[in-house]
Short mmCIF file of all heavy atoms in Angstrom, two decimals:
data_model
loop_
_atom_site.label_atom_id
_atom_site.label_comp_id
_atom_site.label_asym_id
_atom_site.label_seq_id
_atom_site.Cartn_x
_atom_site.Cartn_y
_atom_site.Cartn_z
N ALA A 1 10.78 -32.84 515.04
CA ALA A 1 9.32 -32.96 514.97
C ALA A 1 8.80 -33.19 516.39
O ALA A 1 9.49 -33.78 517.23
CB ALA A 1 8.93 -34.12 514.07
N SER A 2 7.61 -32.70 516.66
CA SER A 2 7.01 -32.95 517.97
C SER A 2 5.49 -32.90 517.87
O SER A 2 4.93 -32.35 516.91
CB SER A 2 7.50 -31.94 519.01
OG SER A 2 7.02 -30.64 518.71
N VAL A 3 4.84 -33.49 518.85
CA VAL A 3 3.38 -33.49 518.94
C VAL A 3 3.01 -33.04 520.34
O VAL A 3 3.57 -33.53 521.32
CB VAL A 3 2.80 -34.90 518.66
CG1 VAL A 3 1.29 -34.92 518.86
CG2 VAL A 3 3.16 -35.37 517.26
N GLN A 4 2.07 -32.11 520.42
CA GLN A 4 1.58 -31.62 521.71
C GLN A 4 0.08 -31.89 521.79
O GLN A 4 -0.65 -31.64 520.82
CB GLN A 4 1.85 -30.12 521.86
CG GLN A 4 3.32 -29.78 521.87
CD GLN A 4 4.03 -30.33 523.09
OE1 GLN A 4 3.49 -30.38 524.18
NE2 GLN A 4 5.27 -30.75 522.90
N LEU A 5 -0.35 -32.39 522.94
CA LEU A 5 -1.76 -32.70 523.16
C LEU A 5 -2.33 -31.80 524.24
O LEU A 5 -1.71 -31.63 525.30
CB LEU A 5 -1.94 -34.15 523.59
CG LEU A 5 -1.40 -35.23 522.65
CD1 LEU A 5 -1.60 -36.61 523.27
CD2 LEU A 5 -2.07 -35.14 521.29
N MET A 6 -3.51 -31.25 524.00
CA MET A 6 -4.27 -30.52 525.01
C MET A 6 -5.50 -31.39 525.29
O MET A 6 -6.25 -31.72 524.37
CB MET A 6 -4.67 -29.14 524.50
CG MET A 6 -5.50 -28.36 525.51
SD MET A 6 -5.85 -26.68 524.91
CE MET A 6 -4.38 -25.85 525.55
N LEU A 7 -5.66 -31.77 526.55
CA LEU A 7 -6.70 -32.72 526.93
C LEU A 7 -7.74 -32.09 527.85
O LEU A 7 -7.44 -31.16 528.60
CB LEU A 7 -6.07 -33.92 527.65
CG LEU A 7 -4.95 -34.64 526.90
CD1 LEU A 7 -4.29 -35.66 527.81
CD2 LEU A 7 -5.49 -35.29 525.63
N HIS A 8 -8.97 -32.63 527.77
CA HIS A 8 -9.96 -32.29 528.79
C HIS A 8 -9.54 -33.03 530.06
O HIS A 8 -9.26 -34.23 530.00
CB HIS A 8 -11.35 -32.79 528.38
CG HIS A 8 -11.99 -32.01 527.29
ND1 HIS A 8 -12.55 -30.78 527.49
CD2 HIS A 8 -12.16 -32.29 525.97
CE1 HIS A 8 -13.06 -30.34 526.37
NE2 HIS A 8 -12.82 -31.23 525.42
N PRO A 9 -9.48 -32.36 531.20
CA PRO A 9 -9.07 -33.05 532.43
C PRO A 9 -10.22 -33.86 533.04
O PRO A 9 -10.67 -33.62 534.14
CB PRO A 9 -8.63 -31.90 533.34
CG PRO A 9 -9.44 -30.74 532.90
CD PRO A 9 -9.64 -30.91 531.42
N ASP A 10 -10.70 -34.84 532.28
CA ASP A 10 -11.75 -35.74 532.78
C ASP A 10 -11.13 -37.11 533.05
O ASP A 10 -9.93 -37.30 532.85
CB ASP A 10 -12.92 -35.81 531.80
CG ASP A 10 -12.51 -36.31 530.41
OD1 ASP A 10 -11.39 -36.84 530.25
OD2 ASP A 10 -13.31 -36.16 529.48
N GLN A 11 -11.91 -38.05 533.46
CA GLN A 11 -11.36 -39.37 533.82
C GLN A 11 -10.76 -40.10 532.62
O GLN A 11 -9.97 -41.02 532.79
CB GLN A 11 -12.40 -40.23 534.51
CG GLN A 11 -13.54 -40.69 533.60
CD GLN A 11 -14.61 -41.44 534.37
OE1 GLN A 11 -15.08 -40.96 535.38
NE2 GLN A 11 -14.96 -42.61 533.88
N PHE A 12 -11.13 -39.71 531.39
CA PHE A 12 -10.62 -40.38 530.21
C PHE A 12 -9.57 -39.56 529.46
O PHE A 12 -9.03 -40.02 528.46
CB PHE A 12 -11.77 -40.71 529.25
CG PHE A 12 -12.81 -41.59 529.86
CD1 PHE A 12 -14.05 -41.07 530.21
CD2 PHE A 12 -12.56 -42.93 530.15
CE1 PHE A 12 -15.01 -41.87 530.79
CE2 PHE A 12 -13.52 -43.73 530.73
CZ PHE A 12 -14.76 -43.21 531.06
N ASN A 13 -9.28 -38.34 529.94
CA ASN A 13 -8.36 -37.44 529.25
C ASN A 13 -8.71 -37.32 527.76
O ASN A 13 -7.88 -37.51 526.88
CB ASN A 13 -6.91 -37.89 529.41
CG ASN A 13 -6.41 -37.64 530.80
OD1 ASN A 13 -6.70 -36.62 531.40
ND2 ASN A 13 -5.64 -38.59 531.32
N ASN A 14 -9.98 -36.99 527.50
CA ASN A 14 -10.43 -36.81 526.13
C ASN A 14 -9.64 -35.71 525.44
O ASN A 14 -9.38 -34.66 526.02
CB ASN A 14 -11.93 -36.47 526.09
CG ASN A 14 -12.78 -37.70 526.25
OD1 ASN A 14 -12.86 -38.52 525.36
ND2 ASN A 14 -13.41 -37.84 527.41
N LEU A 15 -9.31 -35.96 524.19
CA LEU A 15 -8.54 -35.01 523.40
C LEU A 15 -9.37 -33.77 523.09
O LEU A 15 -10.54 -33.87 522.71
CB LEU A 15 -8.09 -35.66 522.09
CG LEU A 15 -7.26 -34.79 521.15
CD1 LEU A 15 -5.93 -34.42 521.79
CD2 LEU A 15 -7.04 -35.52 519.83
N PHE A 16 -8.77 -32.61 523.24
CA PHE A 16 -9.34 -31.33 522.84
C PHE A 16 -8.61 -30.86 521.57
O PHE A 16 -9.22 -30.55 520.57
CB PHE A 16 -9.19 -30.30 523.96
CG PHE A 16 -9.65 -28.92 523.60
CD1 PHE A 16 -10.99 -28.59 523.63
CD2 PHE A 16 -8.75 -27.93 523.24
CE1 PHE A 16 -11.43 -27.31 523.30
CE2 PHE A 16 -9.16 -26.66 522.91
CZ PHE A 16 -10.51 -26.34 522.93
N LEU A 17 -7.26 -30.83 521.63
CA LEU A 17 -6.45 -30.34 520.53
C LEU A 17 -5.16 -31.12 520.44
O LEU A 17 -4.53 -31.42 521.45
CB LEU A 17 -6.12 -28.86 520.76
CG LEU A 17 -5.12 -28.19 519.81
CD1 LEU A 17 -5.69 -28.07 518.41
CD2 LEU A 17 -4.73 -26.82 520.35
N GLU A 18 -4.78 -31.45 519.21
CA GLU A 18 -3.46 -32.03 518.93
C GLU A 18 -2.77 -31.11 517.94
O GLU A 18 -3.35 -30.72 516.93
CB GLU A 18 -3.61 -33.41 518.32
CG GLU A 18 -2.28 -34.04 517.92
CD GLU A 18 -2.44 -35.40 517.28
OE1 GLU A 18 -2.61 -36.38 518.02
OE2 GLU A 18 -2.42 -35.46 516.04
N LEU A 19 -1.52 -30.75 518.24
CA LEU A 19 -0.70 -29.95 517.33
C LEU A 19 0.53 -30.76 516.94
O LEU A 19 1.30 -31.18 517.81
CB LEU A 19 -0.24 -28.65 518.00
CG LEU A 19 -1.14 -27.44 517.84
CD1 LEU A 19 -0.60 -26.27 518.64
CD2 LEU A 19 -1.31 -27.05 516.39
N GLN A 20 0.70 -30.99 515.64
CA GLN A 20 1.85 -31.74 515.13
C GLN A 20 2.80 -30.77 514.43
O GLN A 20 2.40 -30.10 513.47
CB GLN A 20 1.39 -32.79 514.12
CG GLN A 20 0.47 -33.83 514.68
CD GLN A 20 -0.05 -34.76 513.60
OE1 GLN A 20 0.06 -34.50 512.41
NE2 GLN A 20 -0.62 -35.88 514.03
N PHE A 21 4.02 -30.70 514.92
CA PHE A 21 5.05 -29.83 514.36
C PHE A 21 6.06 -30.67 513.59
O PHE A 21 6.59 -31.64 514.13
CB PHE A 21 5.79 -29.07 515.48
CG PHE A 21 4.92 -28.12 516.23
CD1 PHE A 21 4.21 -28.55 517.35
CD2 PHE A 21 4.82 -26.79 515.85
CE1 PHE A 21 3.42 -27.67 518.07
CE2 PHE A 21 4.02 -25.90 516.56
CZ PHE A 21 3.32 -26.35 517.67
N SER A 22 6.35 -30.29 512.36
CA SER A 22 7.41 -30.92 511.57
C SER A 22 8.74 -30.26 511.92
O SER A 22 8.77 -29.10 512.34
CB SER A 22 7.16 -30.72 510.08
OG SER A 22 5.96 -31.30 509.70
N ALA A 23 9.82 -30.97 511.72
CA ALA A 23 11.14 -30.35 511.86
C ALA A 23 11.23 -29.20 510.86
O ALA A 23 10.80 -29.33 509.71
CB ALA A 23 12.24 -31.38 511.60
N GLY A 24 11.74 -28.07 511.29
CA GLY A 24 11.87 -26.91 510.42
C GLY A 24 10.60 -26.11 510.23
O GLY A 24 10.53 -25.28 509.33
N SER A 25 9.59 -26.34 511.05
CA SER A 25 8.32 -25.62 510.86
C SER A 25 8.37 -24.16 511.30
O SER A 25 7.64 -23.33 510.78
CB SER A 25 7.18 -26.34 511.59
OG SER A 25 7.40 -26.35 512.98
N LEU A 26 9.26 -23.83 512.24
CA LEU A 26 9.35 -22.45 512.73
C LEU A 26 10.11 -21.60 511.71
O LEU A 26 11.26 -21.91 511.38
CB LEU A 26 10.07 -22.41 514.07
CG LEU A 26 9.47 -23.24 515.19
CD1 LEU A 26 10.41 -23.27 516.39
CD2 LEU A 26 8.11 -22.70 515.59
N GLU A 27 9.48 -20.52 511.23
CA GLU A 27 10.13 -19.66 510.25
C GLU A 27 10.62 -18.35 510.85
O GLU A 27 11.76 -17.95 510.63
CB GLU A 27 9.18 -19.37 509.09
CG GLU A 27 9.83 -18.57 507.98
CD GLU A 27 8.96 -18.54 506.75
OE1 GLU A 27 9.07 -19.49 505.95
OE2 GLU A 27 8.18 -17.58 506.60
N ALA A 28 9.75 -17.66 511.61
CA ALA A 28 10.13 -16.35 512.16
C ALA A 28 9.28 -16.02 513.37
O ALA A 28 8.16 -16.53 513.53
CB ALA A 28 9.95 -15.27 511.09
N VAL A 29 9.83 -15.17 514.24
CA VAL A 29 9.09 -14.60 515.37
C VAL A 29 9.27 -13.09 515.29
O VAL A 29 10.41 -12.60 515.31
CB VAL A 29 9.58 -15.15 516.73
CG1 VAL A 29 8.83 -14.47 517.87
CG2 VAL A 29 9.41 -16.65 516.80
N ASN A 30 8.16 -12.39 515.16
CA ASN A 30 8.18 -10.92 515.01
C ASN A 30 9.14 -10.47 513.90
O ASN A 30 9.88 -9.51 514.05
CB ASN A 30 8.53 -10.24 516.33
CG ASN A 30 7.47 -10.52 517.38
OD1 ASN A 30 6.29 -10.55 517.08
ND2 ASN A 30 7.91 -10.75 518.61
N GLY A 31 9.13 -11.21 512.79
CA GLY A 31 9.95 -10.85 511.64
C GLY A 31 11.38 -11.32 511.69
O GLY A 31 12.11 -11.23 510.71
N GLU A 32 11.83 -11.84 512.84
CA GLU A 32 13.20 -12.33 512.98
C GLU A 32 13.25 -13.82 512.63
O GLU A 32 12.51 -14.62 513.21
CB GLU A 32 13.71 -12.13 514.41
CG GLU A 32 13.87 -10.67 514.80
CD GLU A 32 14.93 -9.95 513.99
OE1 GLU A 32 15.99 -10.54 513.73
OE2 GLU A 32 14.67 -8.80 513.60
N PRO A 33 14.11 -14.21 511.70
CA PRO A 33 14.18 -15.62 511.30
C PRO A 33 14.54 -16.54 512.47
O PRO A 33 15.29 -16.16 513.37
CB PRO A 33 15.30 -15.65 510.26
CG PRO A 33 15.44 -14.24 509.79
CD PRO A 33 15.05 -13.37 510.95
N VAL A 34 13.99 -17.74 512.44
CA VAL A 34 14.30 -18.78 513.42
C VAL A 34 15.21 -19.78 512.74
O VAL A 34 14.87 -20.31 511.68
CB VAL A 34 13.01 -19.47 513.92
CG1 VAL A 34 13.34 -20.59 514.90
CG2 VAL A 34 12.06 -18.46 514.57
#
């Protein structure tokens, strides 16, 4: 599992986007299983 944060580069590093990935979340890339 992992969490990635995309922040506004301001003095407070305000959050723009948070993406939370569970273990096993990746299924396929271009039809090829992961």
